[in-house]
Amino acid sequence: MEAVSDTDVQFWMAKAMNWGEDLSCSALLDTSRHLCSLRSFLQQVLQGLQQMSSTSEAMKTFPFVGQFLGRLCWNPCVIADERSQRLLLRCLSCLYSAEPLNAVERKANMWIKDMLCHLISEEEGSVAHTTVKHAGVTPKRYHSEALQKVVSLMTEEVIKSCDGLPNTARCLNGNIHTMSTACVALVTCPEMSPLIGALLKHFMLCGSSCLNQEFIKEINEALISKRLVLEHEAVVNLWCYSPTCLEGAAVSFLESVLSGHETMTQSLDKHVNDSLLPRASAHHCHIFLTVNEIYRNVLTEIDENLAVRALIQVFTACFLQRLTGQKPQDRLPLRAFFPNVTPCLLTPLLTAPSEVPREAWLDHLSWIRSLLQSVTENEEAGEDGRAYQAVFEAWFLLVQCGYWVDTAAELLVLAAPENAKSLLWLLTFFHHPTNRGHQRSQQTAVAREAWTHLRMLFLTRPPPPRHLCAVKELLSSSFSANLVLHLFSNFTVFSHGPVSIITEITDKVLTEAAVKRRALWILALIRCRLNSAATRDDRVYSRLRTLQDTLLQT
Amino acid sequence: MEAVLRHLTNILELLAVSQTDHVSEWDRHTTLRGFQWAEYCEQLHSRFQCNPAVRSALESALSDTNQRLQQALPSCSPVMFSELAQCQHMLLIHLLTNPSAPNSVIPILFPDPKTAAQDSQFDQNSLITCKSAFNLLCRTSDRTSYAGLHVEAVVRGKLLGNLLNSVLSRTGNDEYARTLLDSILHDSAGKPESLYDVIAAALLSPDDETNSVVPHFILAWLQEHDGCLSKLCKSLSPGLCTVISRQSREFKQAYWGVLKQWASCLEFDVLEGLWVPTSDEPVTFIILTDRFKDLLHSGPPLKEETETELKTLKREAGDFNVKGICIWTDVIIQLKL
């Protein structure tokens, strides 16, 4: 089979000739648009060349290749793109014969040497050649410094071109677009980052800024595949400029959380903060709303997914932390960030447990419960969609502020029976918001049953086998598995008693790998909540660690 | 020290041989060793570039070896001390351009990018990337917004200024700095205009305007070369000369000197009623007045200083008020001062 099709060859030859070496604005624009597909074509050509047994055979099979590669090597835009450059050099390498057998091969060698010479040096007699020759440093260092200087000059130009005044006529729009076009090939070049940052910032200052779309796309792809590191402000500006990039970043972060299981559960809050999403959300309301919308849609599609819930909870907690860190005059009202929720729910839920004294937790949770209960009762009373929607919004806010549910679970470990009812209601609502098939009473019963068994299991020594079996059975039934697991994990971490019991009980109760994985997510949330608490309880931490180690053992 | 001088001689012989057909005997081992020597040589340059005593010892060793090699192998080009910084690069270019270089050597020097380590000695990727990125950015920034200079000239000028600054910052290096500029001028003999742009940028370059070491040095060097300053001023636009004059008093004085010299080449043709050039200098009355016009449009204090200077010149030449006798009178009349 032919490695490269004739139509492709014709297309690309025409392009290469068209672009030439002159780099007019339109040639540059066209080149930057085609860089990605050019790379694929070069890859095909390379593969074709690699299958040739000699240069003569290559020249016969691919007669266009000499002229084609030659033209591309003289095009600064193509050569400046690292990946295209490597492909071109590898193609040249394929065509070079270490032992040339005929005139064709000898000529090819000479031509390749010329090309390499042109790539690494300047035209003799030019001022470029002279200044580099006597520069007193290696050509590599000279050009790196030259690049840094031209970047710094252009960055100044960008910064000066728009001094933030609303008079957009003063902004040199055409030039910004051209500069960003030139940068398409150079996005991953480390010396370029000040200019990239300035171009992205320019949009924030000048309403009519116009950056080349390919430029934005290249930056986004390079950021996601970690081939580029930008300053935080530049990333946030990128997201403001391009909603597509923001969505891409949010989705790609979600994917990394779902797939990088163990590293993620170890330090979820750090990973979430490193993604820059909380920071960007705190500064720009629309970013928060977009990210929220994406994660919320995922949640409604993958029901009962603890990993997604964990991400939403930690993201919201980190976001709220950043928000409280802002100056009061810069802060938008919370209503702006949570427009769909009944306003009275905002204060109790958005106040973190770490901001409420421990003694007041029970009352605070009571307050939350009564608010939520009235929302659900409204839904049961009326049969219209709006009431249903209100329940969903309230439930989603509870998911976002899941630290309160975790607090309820923690309190349940040592709660007296008269307080347990309220806390169990909350937990049940969290895991089963809808009253599908009027199962709510059944679910509440299961919750109470689980709680009773767990209390006996962790308070009596040795752990009674009857309760052990009961808990195990509840966990294996799919009816309320997550709720029971949630309670179980909290009992393990927060109950008193010897640490050795943890391994003993866990090994007997959590036997399936899938269940253990889900438990790790619950632990991740407990850890994040403990990290932001005012004081550190070493006893609890050591129990947490023991449970984690037990779960991680295969 | 003796060992160092011996090594230096070896390198030069190596570089010379790489340009002849004796290079066909090189194998992989020889080539790699050659580059090792070249790298050592670069380190020598970097250590002793600004040390006048050691450098001059090295320079005289270089000079002797160059002479000797020229006699034995006339086709080889002599190597200057400043070029030692790029020894490996020179060797590489020689091997690429010498038809007698063994074919097996090239793949060693350009290893397959996929398998070679990123910072291997022979990795040319970052050089090629930086060079073409620089090229690309310079070409797209085509507006001459830096005092009328193209951005490429500005960057090269700044780098030249930095080089001179670091060389001149230690005592005893004046001669060496002069040699550098001499070599650059000599090598640009074909197209000096682009070089003049770079020199103008170097004159403007110190970011710290109180540092006048480099502009002073460059001006002194320009004035040592007969006609060089005049050619420079002719090549640069009036606007650019004005900008440099604003920044450097020394240049302003030198520039006025050039303009006076141009003026002295003009003679009044009574029949035509015009000032015409007498020598080969392609300076016309219009060109001269344009220069002064630009100086006068620049704003204080240059504007006032130029006016005063013109009036002084007119007075010293006899203070004529009639056209056709004193060029300064005519210039003043033309500019409606």
Side-chain angles (χ1 to χ4, degrees):
Chain A
M1 195 178 106
E2 279 282 305
V4 286
S5 75
D6 276 337
T7 21
D8 280 348
V9 171
Q10 274 180 17
F11 176 78
W12 287 111
M13 271 306 284
K15 281 286 173 205
M17 307 232 316
N18 226 335
W19 294 336
E21 308 161 32
D22 70 357
L23 278 192
S24 64
C25 236
S26 54
L28 184 61
L29 204 58
D30 198 43
T31 317
S32 67
R33 270 194 210 121
H34 286 92
L35 273 180
C36 195
S37 41
L38 176 62
R39 280 195 287 264
S40 318
F41 181 66
L42 283 174
Q43 185 70 39
Q44 285 176 31
V45 171
L46 177 62
Q47 276 163 355
L49 289 175
Q50 281 170 334
Q51 286 166 3
M52 299 287 115
S53 54
S54 73
T55 305
S56 313
E57 192 191 341
M59 300 301 280
K60 242 187 288 198
T61 323
F62 304 104
F64 69 94
V65 94
Q67 211 187 59
F68 182 60
L69 295 178
R71 284 189 181 272
L72 290 182
C73 283
W74 280 87
N75 185 319
C77 189
V78 174
I79 283 290
D81 173 38
E82 259 187 308
R83 287 172 288 176
S84 302
Q85 188 196 122
R86 273 182 222 272
L87 286 166
L88 282 169
L89 286 177
R90 287 176 70 193
C91 287
L92 289 181
S93 192
C94 278
L95 287 171
Y96 187 85
S97 324
E99 284 162 25
L101 297 171
N102 53 44
V104 168
E105 296 186 353
R106 278 191 290 273
K107 191 155 172 241
N109 278 7
M110 263 179 57
W111 174 80
I112 290 172
K113 290 201 289 187
D114 269 347
M115 199 58 61
L116 291 171
C117 220
H118 149 71
L119 286 173
I120 62 174
S121 65
E122 319 283 345
E123 195 187 317
E124 201 137 338
S126 66
V127 73
H129 186 254
T130 322
T131 45
V132 174
K133 182 173 167 190
H134 296 285
V137 291
T138 59
K140 179 167 156 176
R141 178 132 166 241
Y142 180 87
H143 284 106
S144 170
E145 284 177 17
L147 181 58
Q148 282 173 41
K149 286 232 184 300
V150 77
V151 165
S152 131
L153 287 172
M154 287 173 80
T155 306
E156 261 179 57
E157 213 185 295
V158 172
I159 293 174
K160 271 193 243 162
S161 79
C162 199
D163 47 14
L165 292 181
N167 184 357
T168 53
R170 291 183 62 172
C171 180
L172 305 156
N173 261 329
N175 212 35
I176 298 290
H177 189 261
T178 313
M179 274 197 219
S180 64
T181 310
C183 291
V184 173
L186 302 172
V187 152
T188 53
C189 192
E191 287 88 348
M192 294 297 294
S193 88
L195 183 55
I196 295 177
L199 285 170
L200 288 172
K201 187 165 181 175
H202 186 260
F203 162 72
M204 304 302 284
L205 299 173
C206 170
S208 56
S209 186
C210 177
L211 297 173
N212 182 311
Q213 281 310 307
E214 290 299 322
F215 172 64
I216 298 292
K217 220 173 85 180
E218 281 288 320
I219 294 181
N220 200 33
E221 278 172 24
L223 269 177
I224 290 181
S225 57
K226 306 230 184 292
R227 284 180 295 122
L228 167 65
V229 175
L230 277 184
E231 289 203 3
H232 294 172
E233 199 193 333
V235 177
V236 175
N237 289 342
L238 175 69
W239 290 342
C240 283
Y241 184 85
S242 163
T244 321
C245 288
L246 171 61
E247 286 162 26
V251 170
S252 124
F253 180 64
L254 172 66
E255 283 169 5
S256 70
V257 167
L258 293 179
S259 61
H261 185 253
E262 263 158 37
T263 44
M264 283 296 162
T265 51
Q266 304 274 3
S267 45
L268 187 55
D269 45 359
K270 178 175 181 302
H271 286 289
V272 169
N273 272 320
D274 286 348
S275 75
L276 298 181
L277 290 168
R279 178 196 171 120
S281 301
H283 283 113
H284 302 278
C285 188
H286 67 93
I287 290 186
F288 177 75
L289 293 172
T290 308
V291 175
N292 220 26
E293 185 71 26
I294 294 175
Y295 290 155
R296 183 191 157 107
N297 285 339
V298 173
L299 187 67
T300 51
E301 282 180 31
I302 328 176
D303 206 15
E304 301 254 12
N305 187 310
L306 286 179
V308 178
R309 286 201 200 185
L311 172 56
I312 292 175
Q313 183 174 326
V314 175
F315 166 66
T316 311
C318 292
F319 156 72
L320 287 170
Q321 258 175 357
R322 291 229 167 234
L323 210 58
T324 47
Q326 283 178 338
K327 288 192 277 240
Q329 60 263 39
D330 293 337
R331 255 184 261 161
L332 283 173
L334 287 171
R335 192 90 187 78
F337 295 96
F338 300 93
N340 301 322
V341 180
T342 330
C344 59
L345 279 169
L346 291 180
T347 313
L349 281 168
L350 293 176
T351 316
S354 51
E355 293 166 34
V356 175
R358 204 190 169 87
E359 314 82 65
W361 282 357
L362 208 50
D363 285 332
H364 195 104
L365 283 164
S366 235
W367 178 21
I368 292 175
R369 182 201 49 94
S370 67
L371 285 171
L372 288 172
Q373 207 157 16
S374 61
V375 176
T376 56
E377 276 158 16
N378 277 344
E379 189 224 352
E380 278 154 25
E383 289 289 328
D384 67 339
R386 243 179 317 141
Y388 173 77
Q389 192 62 24
V391 173
F392 179 78
E393 297 295 342
W395 174 75
F396 188 69
L397 184 62
L398 187 63
V399 171
Q400 287 173 298
C401 305
Y403 41 43
W404 279 115
V405 183
D406 288 343
T407 308
E410 179 188 336
L411 289 179
L412 272 168
V413 173
L414 300 169
E418 58 269 20
N419 294 324
K421 186 170 175 202
S422 195
L423 299 168
L424 284 169
W425 187 95
L426 210 53
L427 213 63
T428 314
F429 176 67
F430 177 73
H431 285 284
H432 306 286
T434 60
N435 197 6
R436 253 175 280 162
H438 300 280
Q439 286 177 331
R440 179 143 312 130
S441 46
Q442 220 177 334
Q443 289 152 352
T444 323
V446 167
R448 180 162 273 275
E449 193 189 329
W451 178 66
T452 319
H453 284 300
L454 283 167
R455 280 184 82 218
M456 297 314 293
L457 196 58
F458 281 90
L459 287 179
T460 349
R461 242 158 289 139
R466 178 167 75 91
H467 296 291
L468 207 61
C469 288
V471 171
K472 201 166 167 193
E473 213 183 291
L474 284 167
L475 276 170
S476 52
S477 127
S478 58
F479 190 64
S480 269
N482 277 345
L483 189 154
V484 180
L485 190 58
H486 198 173
L487 270 175
F488 177 81
S489 312
N490 275 276
F491 263 91
T492 319
V493 173
F494 291 105
S495 63
H496 296 264
V499 169
S500 53
I501 247 187
I502 298 176
T503 319
E504 199 191 317
I505 298 184
T506 312
D507 277 341
K508 293 207 182 99
V509 172
L510 299 184
T511 46
E512 281 171 62
V515 178
K516 287 190 193 178
R517 273 202 299 273
R518 298 209 309 269
L520 282 169
W521 282 112
I522 297 176
L523 277 192
L525 292 174
I526 297 178
R527 186 182 295 107
C528 288
R529 190 167 64 89
L530 291 175
N531 281 347
S532 60
T535 52
R536 186 193 153 99
D537 188 340
D538 285 327
R539 182 191 71 90
V540 166
Y541 263 101
S542 103
R543 293 180 75 91
L544 184 68
R545 227 185 348 261
T546 311
L547 177 56
Q548 185 179 286
D549 291 340
T550 316
L551 290 171
L552 286 173
Q553 268 173 5
T554 45
Chain B
M1 188 62 191
E2 270 184 32
V4 170
L5 293 177
R6 235 198 335 233
H7 291 328
L8 201 56
T9 315
N10 285 345
I11 309 266
L12 253 61
E13 286 172 7
L14 196 86
L15 283 170
V17 164
S18 67
Q19 291 179 289
T20 65
D21 48 18
H22 291 293
V23 78
S24 56
E25 292 159 29
W26 284 20
D27 61 5
R28 182 192 169 85
H29 179 65
T30 328
T31 312
L32 289 175
R33 201 154 45 94
F35 276 91
Q36 271 178 336
W37 281 112
E39 193 183 351
Y40 167 74
C41 190
E42 289 181 8
Q43 287 164 5
L44 272 183
H45 174 272
S46 127
R47 272 185 72 193
F48 298 119
Q49 185 189 49
C50 295
N51 180 330
V54 178
R55 190 188 63 232
S56 61
L58 294 174
E59 277 173 321
S60 55
L62 270 177
S63 169
D64 290 340
T65 316
N66 277 329
Q67 256 184 344
R68 196 168 41 84
L69 286 171
Q70 277 268 287
Q71 286 171 349
L73 307 161
S75 58
C76 296
S77 33
V79 176
M80 298 193 48
F81 183 79
S82 63
E83 294 177 75
L84 293 180
Q86 305 185 343
C87 221
Q88 289 184 80
H89 184 79
M90 274 200 290
L91 185 54
L92 184 56
I93 298 287
H94 288 176
L95 290 172
L96 281 175
T97 49
N98 187 344
S100 312
N103 289 301
S104 54
V105 149
I106 302 296
I108 301 171
L109 305 173
F110 285 90
D112 188 344
K114 197 173 182 199
T115 53
Q118 190 70 346
D119 47 357
S120 103
Q121 184 179 17
F122 298 120
D123 173 47
Q124 306 292 338
N125 285 95
S126 41
L127 164 59
I128 299 176
T129 307
C130 285
K131 178 166 163 291
S132 48
F134 175 64
N135 222 322
L136 183 59
L137 290 179
C138 284
R139 291 206 210 187
T140 56
S141 177
D142 61 1
R143 299 180 318 126
T144 50
S145 54
Y146 309 96
L149 282 170
H150 190 271
V151 74
E152 184 182 341
V154 173
V155 172
R156 294 198 192 274
K158 276 185 192 281
L159 291 174
L160 177 61
N162 288 349
L163 170 64
L164 290 172
N165 200 32
S166 69
V167 166
L168 292 170
S169 62
R170 284 190 56 177
T171 50
N173 287 318
D174 283 25
E175 186 58 42
Y176 181 60
R178 257 191 290 273
T179 321
L180 279 175
L181 287 176
D182 284 344
S183 319
I184 296 179
L185 182 64
H186 176 264
D187 287 345
S188 316
K191 284 171 64 174
E193 296 80 35
S194 321
L195 178 61
Y196 293 145
D197 280 350
V198 171
I199 292 179
L203 284 169
L204 284 170
S205 77
D207 293 320
D208 167 18
E209 285 188 7
T210 59
N211 177 2
S212 58
V213 168
V214 167
H216 169 81
F217 181 82
I218 296 180
L219 269 174
W221 174 79
L222 282 169
Q223 284 162 328
E224 279 164 26
H225 289 257
D226 216 20
C228 202
L229 182 60
S230 174
K231 289 203 196 95
L232 177 100
C233 293
K234 185 71 176 47
S235 166
L236 302 178
S237 70
L240 183 53
C241 290
T242 304
V243 170
I244 308 177
S245 303
R246 287 182 72 90
Q247 194 166 312
S248 161
R249 289 201 65 218
E250 257 196 274
F251 181 82
K252 179 192 72 180
Q253 294 291 130
Y255 185 41
W256 281 349
V258 168
L259 294 176
K260 288 176 208 166
Q261 193 223 326
W262 289 357
S264 68
C265 293
L266 293 172
E267 216 178 50
F268 193 69
D269 181 336
V270 183
L271 291 172
E272 297 286 328
L274 295 169
W275 289 89
V276 294
T278 55
S279 65
D280 286 330
E281 291 250 21
V283 182
T284 66
F285 184 69
I286 303 289
I287 290 177
L288 188 67
T289 47
D290 271 348
R291 294 279 167 162
F292 278 104
K293 183 155 54 170
D294 214 276
L295 286 169
L296 292 166
H297 280 163
S298 64
L302 189 55
K303 175 175 191 286
E304 286 77 22
E305 288 170 359
T306 313
E307 274 184 29
T308 316
E309 182 70 12
L310 281 172
K311 291 189 177 135
T312 312
L313 286 167
K314 173 186 170 209
R315 204 178 47 243
E316 285 172 359
D319 213 8
F320 296 103
N321 285 317
V322 180
K323 275 180 151 186
I325 305 175
C326 163
I327 189 159
W328 299 115
T329 312
D330 286 38
V331 167
I332 290 175
I333 294 174
Q334 180 77 3
L335 295 172
K336 300 188 175 63
L337 282 178

